[in-house]
């Protein structure tokens, strides 16, 4: 890829970019006086330091749960350093919104010599990464012409917009606006399902009638026991959970962490770590329920009043005998009691530990079993998600302060902003995000049984694809080696547009590659996850380097060439859209007391200070007037809707069923190790992988237990070959007792780096992961992988 660095290509381009990158060398990563640097500011407003440096509160718009309050120091059009929220702005009613290591390193991500600088079109084979520079006019003409040609030939359902999580933490994004443009010109093929937590969202309505969300974390401050089940909040910075969990820890709350890996969360919070074989969660839950019921520790009054399906006397009509929870646990049909001794060889959790865990959970009132999103990213993930709802129900921990109803959510997950106006999409069909490769390869094979909704069949393969601020195309997608065969076949997807800051593995497969602006170079509003409950203005701080542009800017040009610019932009530039969205949100949420947009630009954030929220509290307080939204109006331990599906992988009672590629699969004789991944502290998904500071924070390695390493002659630091029938990845070994025997682990989100033979040298787990979809949600099962490991 040949590029010329010319000052005339952009007003700030090379001079400011070189100045900024030079400043990086002079400024240390951790500025020890960061907390003191802004202490002269008494409100989150822009400040001016003695050297005329502006200090501006802002935030990123990545798919990152913290949405930290960072302070950008701007002088002469350059962000010179980043600090975070000072001590004198702390608000005891709100989480401490200080930046983590990701937030403190944003400058190195923005000012990096490898950033894409010019629009480029592909000149080699797709995937080779060979491009030549073109003008923006040529680029937008190529997009408009291909949209016209492909739509005329194949119809609007041939158009697809992929996942773009590098911008989904903001209310305004290029992927949203390209959908707006496509809707104005005939529509596109949409997808459903959240790769993050879609299996939980699909499964929990069969218990509660709606997708279960968590309570606000401030309702847990007096809880005596919290079980974090596959929930690694310390590294993921999940909605400022750590702020509340540390308060609880100081108050004497006992934490138990159930996880195959001794994570940083276990290290920082756990009074007890219980390692569990991946995909066997339901066996542990079943045995816990057996102990609770057989020892009469269940909350009988709660169950009688609020639930159905617990025993034979509370079953819905039309169901034969011995289908209730008690019947299952006692082995009424299969003759197997679900005792801790039954579960021990499946889970590798000792029977006495299972009894202790069950008794602790049932006897501590209230207790919170909080399940993370990792366990539900298995092909048994729906059963695992529902399993935690059954445990919460039989112990009376639903709808009560200090309890927890299901997987991690939180009242703060609600959207406070309305987003851009979106015209209706004329295309009725919708696919699961897991169907897109199949829809590109042979759309006739995507059926309602596979996840197609709104139609009996697709009218076209995917022929044009937009991947804006996303690396899912050829990095985060499972079974990469199969995916790239489809992408490389130019007779299938005919035109791929990618927009990014870097030449990511996915961007290499673009036909047209566009240089995106960073969050510091455009306007947006950042929203938090979980219980953060605040909005932050993410304003334009600096000009984009070289010829980088925001997606909205070039989409306006495409819209003009399609004859719909006026309808598309409504005469608004990017900042005007943010103002429009903000003012529309004020009208939609009158009780939230949002300031005017003019005032927001002064105070730069809005704190909600919502009242403590307990999920399903109204349903428990007043079931007569607030029944659950299930067919029975109660919590459905047994779901008649699931029973009527008669699917062996979707039991009406969420119980253990051996998973495909789980430890009981016959494939385990060939590939005896279970591989899992975790979300690390140094990147959000794969975003910021290219940041060299963050590569120093945590290097890509394979965690392997000493027992497994010794069997294979593997020593600390050895290069190892991780392989299965789908692919091969090579990384150094981290021999550690922090991972249980039989399980190996790598951090998720590493960039795929194949050699000439297709062997990955980047530690990208998705050369090994499966594209199998889950039975109920038609969702992802990235985490369910059997592998073997050998010394390279």
């Amino acid at each position: 890829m040949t590029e010329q660095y010319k000052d005339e290509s952009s007003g700030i381009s090379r001079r400011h970019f070189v100045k900024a990158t030079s400043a990086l060398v002079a400024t240390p990563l951790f500025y020890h006086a960061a907390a003191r640097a802004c202490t002269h500011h008494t409100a989150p407003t822009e400040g001016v330091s003695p050297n005329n440096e502006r200090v501006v509160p802002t935030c990123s718009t990545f798919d990152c749960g913290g949405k930290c309050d960072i302070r950008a120091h701007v002088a002469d059009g350059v962000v010179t350093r980043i600090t975070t929220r000072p001590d004198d702005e702390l608000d005891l009613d709100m989480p401490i919104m200080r930046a983590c290591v990701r937030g403190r390193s944003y400058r190195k991500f923005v000012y990096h010599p490898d950033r894409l600088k010019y629009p480029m079109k592909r000149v080699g084979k797709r995937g080779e990464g060979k491009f030549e520079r073109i003008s923006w006019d040529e680029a937008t003409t190529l997009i408009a012409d291909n949209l016209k040609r492909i739509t005329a030939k194949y119809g609007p359902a041939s158009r697809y917009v992929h996942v773009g999580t590098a911008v989904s933490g903001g209310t305004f994004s290029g992927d949203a606006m390209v959908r707006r443009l496509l809707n104005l010109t005939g529509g596109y093929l949409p997808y459903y399902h959240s790769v993050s937590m879609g299996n939980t969202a699909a499964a929990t309505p069969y218990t509660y009638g709606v997708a279960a969300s968590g309570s606000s974390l401030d309702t847990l401050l007096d809880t005596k026991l919290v079980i974090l089940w596959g929930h690694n909040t310390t590294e993921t910075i999940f909605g400022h959970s750590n702020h509340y969990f540390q308060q609880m820890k100081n108050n004497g709350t006992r934490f138990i962490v159930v996880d195959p890996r001794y994570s940083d969360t276990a290290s920082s919070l756990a009074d007890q770590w219980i390692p569990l074989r991946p995909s066997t969660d339901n066996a542990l839950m079943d045995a816990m329920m057996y102990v609770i019921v057989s020892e009469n520790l269940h909350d009988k009054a709660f169950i009688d009043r609020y639930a159905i399906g617990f025993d034979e006397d509370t079953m819905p009509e039309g169901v034969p005998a011995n289908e209730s929870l008690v019947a299952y646990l006692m082995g009424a049909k299969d003759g197997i009691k679900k005792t801790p001794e039954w579960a021990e060889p499946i889970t590798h959790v000792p029977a006495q530990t299972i009894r202790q865990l069950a008794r602790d959970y049932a006897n501590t009132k209230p207790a919170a079993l909080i399940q993370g999103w990792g366990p539900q990213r298995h092909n048994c993930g729906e059963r695992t998600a529902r399993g935690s709802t059954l445990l919460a129900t039989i112990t009376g921990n639903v709808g009560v302060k200090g309890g927890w109803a299901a997987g991690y959510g939180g009242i703060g997950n609600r959207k406070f902003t309305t987003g851009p106006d979106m015209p209706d999409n004329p295309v009725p069909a919708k696919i699961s995000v897991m169907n897109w490769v199949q829809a590109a390869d042979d759309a006739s094979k995507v059926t309602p049984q596979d996840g197609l909704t709104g139609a009996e069949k697709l009218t076209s393969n995917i022929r044009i694809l937009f991947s804006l601020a996303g690396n899912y195309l050829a990095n985060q997608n499972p079974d990469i080696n199969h995916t790239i065969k489809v992408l490389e076949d130019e007779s299938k997807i005919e035109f791929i547009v990618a927009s990014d800051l870097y030449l990511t593995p996915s961007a290499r497969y673009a036909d047209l590659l566009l240089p995106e602006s960073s969050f510091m170079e455009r306007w947006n509003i950042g929203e938090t996850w979980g219980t953060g409950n605040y909005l932050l203005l993410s304003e334009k701080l600096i000009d984009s380097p070289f010829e980088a542009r925001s997606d909205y800017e070039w989409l306006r040009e495409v819209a003009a060439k399609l004859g719909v610019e006026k309808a598309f932009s409504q005469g608004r530039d990017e900042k005007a859209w943010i103002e429009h969205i903000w003012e529309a949100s004020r009208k939609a949420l009158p009780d939230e007391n949002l300031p005017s947009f003019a005032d927001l630009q002064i105070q730069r954030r809005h704190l909600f200070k919502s009242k403590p929220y307990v999920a399903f509290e109204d349903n428990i307080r007043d079931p007569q007037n607030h029944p659950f939204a299930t067919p029975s109006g109660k919590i459905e331990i047994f779901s008649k809707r699931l029973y009527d599906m008669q699917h062996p992988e979707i039991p009406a009672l969420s119980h253990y069923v051996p998973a495909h590629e789980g430890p009981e699969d016959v494939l385990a004789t060939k590939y005896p190790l279970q591989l899992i991944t975790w979300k690390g502290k140094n990147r959000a998904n794969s975003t910021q992988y290219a940041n060299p500071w963050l590569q120093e924070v945590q290097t890509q390695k394979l965690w392997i237990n000493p027992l497994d390493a010794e069997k294979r002659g593997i020593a600390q630091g050895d290069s190892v070959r991780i392989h299965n029938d789908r692919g091969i990845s090579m990384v150094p070994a981290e021999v550690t007792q922090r991972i249980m025997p039989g399980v190996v682990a790598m951090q998720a989100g590493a960039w795929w780096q194949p050699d000439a033979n297709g062997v990955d040298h980047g530690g990208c787990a998705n050369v090994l992961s499966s594209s199998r979809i889950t039975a109920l949600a038609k969702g992802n099962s990235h985490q369910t992988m059997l592998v073997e490991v050998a010394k390279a």
Side-chain angles (χ1 to χ4, degrees):
M1 182 169 61
T2 303
E3 299 172 343
Q4 299 296 319
Y5 291 32
K6 296 183 179 180
D7 288 336
E8 66 268 22
S9 63
S10 174
I12 76 150
S13 295
R14 189 168 185 269
R15 180 176 68 86
H16 283 76
F17 201 74
V18 170
K19 178 178 179 180
T21 52
S22 298
L24 290 170
V25 177
T27 306
L29 172 58
F30 296 106
Y31 185 74
H32 297 295
R36 300 191 300 274
C38 311
T39 53
H40 57 283
H41 303 305
T42 57
T45 56
E46 178 182 306
V48 180
S49 61
N51 61 354
N52 294 320
E53 182 181 68
R54 295 187 302 132
V55 182
V56 186
T58 187
C59 70
S60 81
T61 49
F62 300 141
D63 185 27
C64 174
K67 205 60 61 220
C68 303
D69 181 343
I70 62 173
R71 305 300 164 97
H73 296 240
V74 186
D76 192 25
V78 173
V79 176
T80 59
R81 63 189 174 100
I82 288 175
T83 56
T84 191
R85 189 178 180 184
D87 288 340
D88 64 358
E89 288 186 22
L90 298 185
D91 184 333
L92 297 180
D93 293 329
M94 295 295 291
I96 298 173
M97 301 182 291
R98 283 183 170 145
C100 67
V101 65
R102 296 195 295 260
R104 293 172 187 264
S105 65
Y106 283 149
R107 278 195 319 119
K108 191 63 172 177
F109 183 70
V110 172
Y111 294 118
H112 193 297
D114 289 345
R115 269 191 67 174
L116 298 174
K117 299 169 180 66
Y118 312 106
M120 293 179 287
K121 68 177 182 181
R122 175 173 61 86
V123 293
K125 293 181 180 179
R126 190 181 281 167
E128 282 187 316
K130 294 180 180 179
F131 299 89
E132 68 177 14
R133 181 181 173 182
I134 60 174
S135 69
W136 271 109
D137 182 62
E138 291 175 284
T140 54
T141 299
L142 273 172
I143 297 171
D145 288 350
N146 275 282
L147 276 172
K148 291 176 184 177
R149 176 184 64 82
I150 289 171
T151 306
K153 186 175 181 180
Y154 301 107
S158 66
R159 313 191 301 189
Y160 187 73
V161 184
H162 220 318
V163 177
T165 61
V167 290
S168 58
T171 190
F172 186 78
S173 62
D175 65 332
M177 294 308 283
V178 75
R179 290 181 175 92
R180 175 179 169 82
L181 176 61
L182 295 178
N183 283 345
L184 289 169
T185 56
Y188 66 97
L189 178 64
Y191 67 81
Y192 65 90
H193 192 74
S194 163
V195 177
S196 292
M197 46 73 70
N199 292 326
T200 292
T204 52
Y206 289 94
T207 302
Y208 299 121
V210 296
S213 68
S215 306
S216 60
L217 292 175
D218 52 9
T219 64
L220 299 182
L221 293 178
D222 297 321
T223 299
K224 298 305 179 185
L225 174 65
V226 171
I227 302 172
L228 297 178
W229 198 298
H231 191 24
N232 184 21
T233 167
T234 297
E235 292 184 82
T236 56
I237 318 297
F238 212 111
H240 295 289
S241 302
N242 297 327
H243 169 81
Y244 293 101
F245 288 166
Q246 289 297 339
Q247 284 186 329
M248 293 159 63
K249 188 74 174 173
N250 292 336
N251 289 343
T253 299
R254 182 167 179 247
F255 282 85
I256 299 174
V257 172
V258 179
D259 199 309
R261 189 177 70 95
Y262 189 72
S263 64
D264 284 7
T265 299
S267 176
S268 62
L269 290 174
D271 296 280
Q272 181 181 11
W273 170 46
I274 300 178
L276 167 73
R277 290 170 96 182
S279 77
T280 68
D281 305 71
N282 281 104
L284 177 55
M285 293 173 178
D286 291 348
M288 287 175 65
M289 287 189 282
Y290 176 88
V291 172
I292 292 168
V293 172
S294 64
E295 297 185 5
N296 201 31
L297 301 178
H298 56 289
D299 191 331
K300 187 177 186 304
F302 184 94
I303 296 167
D304 288 346
R305 185 175 186 190
Y306 299 110
I308 66 166
F310 176 72
D311 55 25
E312 296 299 299
D313 294 332
T314 60
M315 291 292 289
E317 293 183 6
V319 179
N322 297 325
E323 295 287 348
S324 67
L325 177 62
V326 172
Y328 166 74
L329 295 175
M330 301 305 163
K333 284 182 65 176
D334 60 9
I336 301 172
K337 292 185 177 182
K338 309 310 180 292
T339 65
E341 287 73 19
W342 163 81
E344 180 173 338
I346 299 171
T347 63
H348 284 191
V349 179
Q352 64 268 29
T353 301
I354 298 174
R355 282 194 169 84
Q356 167 251 310
L357 178 64
R359 291 165 180 165
D360 286 354
Y361 180 57
N363 287 323
T364 307
K365 301 291 185 180
L369 192 163
I370 306 176
Q371 189 183 116
W373 292 353
Q376 58 91 59
R377 293 192 188 113
H378 287 274
N379 59 50
C380 57
E382 301 141 340
R383 299 192 293 274
T384 302
R386 274 201 82 223
S388 67
T389 70
L390 305 194
L391 275 166
T393 299
I394 69 169
T395 55
N397 277 303
V398 178
V400 297
K401 184 179 179 182
W404 200 264
Y408 187 84
I411 184 61
N413 275 1
R414 70 177 185 262
K415 293 289 288 182
F416 287 113
T417 57
T418 58
D421 307 324
M422 193 61 66
D424 292 337
N425 183 358
V427 175
K430 186 179 286 189
I431 61 172
S432 164
V433 70
M434 299 302 297
N435 296 143
W436 79 270
V437 175
Q438 198 174 26
D441 186 24
D442 184 355
S444 67
K445 294 181 179 179
V446 182
T447 67
Q449 290 71 37
D450 298 313
L452 177 65
T453 64
E456 288 300 311
K457 63 180 181 178
L458 293 175
T459 57
S460 170
N461 285 16
I462 294 172
R463 297 291 183 176
I464 182 169
L465 184 148
F466 291 86
S467 178
L468 310 185
N471 195 16
Y472 199 89
L473 190 68
N475 199 85
Q476 301 303 93
N477 195 73
D479 198 354
I480 290 175
N481 289 319
H482 170 67
T483 300
I484 63 169
K485 290 178 182 177
V486 176
L487 293 175
E488 288 171 348
D489 187 344
E490 296 176 39
S491 71
K492 297 186 183 299
I493 304 178
E494 298 182 9
F495 194 63
I496 298 174
V497 180
S499 172
D500 213 309
L501 270 67
Y502 295 92
L503 185 62
T504 65
S506 294
R508 295 176 69 88
Y509 286 85
D511 299 303
L512 182 64
L513 182 57
L514 305 177
E516 169 69 302
S517 60
S518 76
F519 74 90
M520 291 184 181
E521 299 151 15
R522 57 179 180 251
W523 287 87
N524 216 326
I525 302 291
E527 295 204 47
T528 54
W529 294 357
T531 316
N533 287 359
Y534 56 87
L535 298 169
L536 288 168
L537 179 65
S538 181
E539 69 181 85
K540 182 176 179 179
L541 300 171
I542 55 176
D543 290 328
S544 297
F546 297 89
E547 293 185 11
R549 301 172 69 182
S550 76
D551 289 330
Y552 178 62
E553 291 180 77
W554 60 260
L555 281 167
R556 287 189 76 173
E557 291 189 12
V558 174
K561 291 173 180 179
L562 294 175
V564 294
E565 197 283 330
K566 185 176 180 180
F568 173 71
S569 73
Q570 297 184 353
R572 300 187 185 101
D573 62 13
E574 191 172 71
K575 182 180 179 181
W577 267 106
I578 299 303
E579 180 175 4
H580 169 74
I581 291 168
W582 184 263
E583 294 300 334
S585 302
R586 290 183 70 204
K587 294 179 181 177
L589 300 167
D591 295 337
E592 300 295 353
N593 298 314
L594 297 181
S596 68
F597 187 69
D599 288 340
L600 180 66
Q601 292 177 78
I602 298 172
Q603 63 191 54
R604 286 193 165 81
R605 73 180 181 206
H606 179 70
L607 309 181
F608 289 95
K609 295 188 179 179
S610 301
K611 294 179 180 179
Y613 170 83
V614 176
F616 304 115
E617 183 176 39
D618 287 343
N619 307 90
I620 298 303
R621 175 183 53 80
D622 184 6
Q624 190 70 29
N625 293 311
H626 298 278
F628 285 88
T630 57
S632 66
K634 293 189 174 186
I635 300 170
E636 298 196 345
I637 294 172
F638 178 97
S639 170
K640 180 68 160 51
R641 290 175 292 171
L642 295 181
Y643 179 81
D644 289 341
M645 293 181 188
Q646 291 295 300
H647 194 298
E649 294 181 40
I650 314 174
L653 285 168
S654 192
H655 61 70
Y656 178 64
V657 178
H660 302 283
E661 286 201 50
E664 296 189 71
D665 196 314
V666 293
L667 189 63
T669 58
K670 182 179 181 182
Y671 299 116
L673 297 173
Q674 291 181 272
L675 171 62
I676 60 170
T677 63
W678 78 89
K679 300 293 181 74
K681 63 177 73 72
N682 60 337
R683 53 182 179 261
N685 298 312
S686 74
T687 303
Q688 292 218 71
Y689 176 83
N691 190 326
W693 281 345
L694 293 182
Q695 288 177 353
E696 293 178 14
V697 168
Q698 192 161 283
T699 57
Q700 193 72 2
K701 296 179 180 180
L702 179 79
W703 284 24
I704 184 169
N705 185 274
L707 294 176
D708 295 320
E710 184 179 9
K711 290 178 185 177
R712 294 161 176 81
I714 295 169
Q716 174 70 16
D718 283 348
S719 178
V720 294
R721 182 179 185 268
I722 315 152
H723 63 281
N724 60 18
D725 291 338
R726 289 182 289 268
I728 303 169
S729 183
M730 295 180 66
V731 291
E734 177 73 19
V735 180
T736 175
Q737 293 185 3
R738 291 180 64 180
I739 189 77
M740 68 183 296
V743 183
V744 292
M746 285 195 294
Q747 185 186 347
W751 282 9
W752 174 50
Q753 299 174 31
D755 62 18
N757 298 315
V759 175
D760 168 54
H761 291 263
C764 179
N766 285 325
V767 301
L768 302 156
S769 60
S770 169
S771 59
R772 179 185 289 273
I773 60 175
T774 60
L776 179 63
K778 313 303 179 186
N780 54 309
S781 56
H782 285 63
Q783 291 282 2
T784 314
M785 297 173 272
L786 287 174
V787 302
E788 180 56 287
V789 177
K791 184 175 179 179

